[in-house]
Amino acid sequence: ARALAEQVAGEARVEEKIQTLYKKVFARTATPEEVTLGVQYLETADIARYAQALLSTNEVIFWP
């Protein structure tokens, strides 16, 4: 999660960081709703914690 956070640290906007993380973790773009939820989450947490949350989703854990 920290390594992913470091990879997006250079992104200027929070929305760009979210999209980049989604591309790296899920190999797809985030939906508008996912971006909105991500922005809300990042108001109270740092990007490393958000990356960890993404890595803990069913989409990653049960990926075929």
Side-chain angles (χ1 to χ4, degrees), residues 3-56:
L4 283 169
E6 290 172 6
Q7 291 176 25
V8 299
E11 301 284 344
R13 297 177 48 235
V14 174
E15 294 84 0
E16 293 171 355
K17 291 178 183 184
I18 292 167
Q19 285 294 356
T20 301
L21 283 174
Y22 266 76
K23 288 175 186 168
K24 290 179 178 291
V25 173
F26 302 120
R28 65 175 179 83
T29 58
T31 66
E33 181 181 46
E34 290 167 333
V35 173
T36 300
L37 289 171
V39 169
Q40 291 173 350
Y41 185 88
L42 289 170
E43 289 174 358
T44 60
D46 65 9
I47 197 74
R49 187 171 294 227
Y50 182 66
Q52 182 62 51
L54 294 180
L55 291 169
S56 300

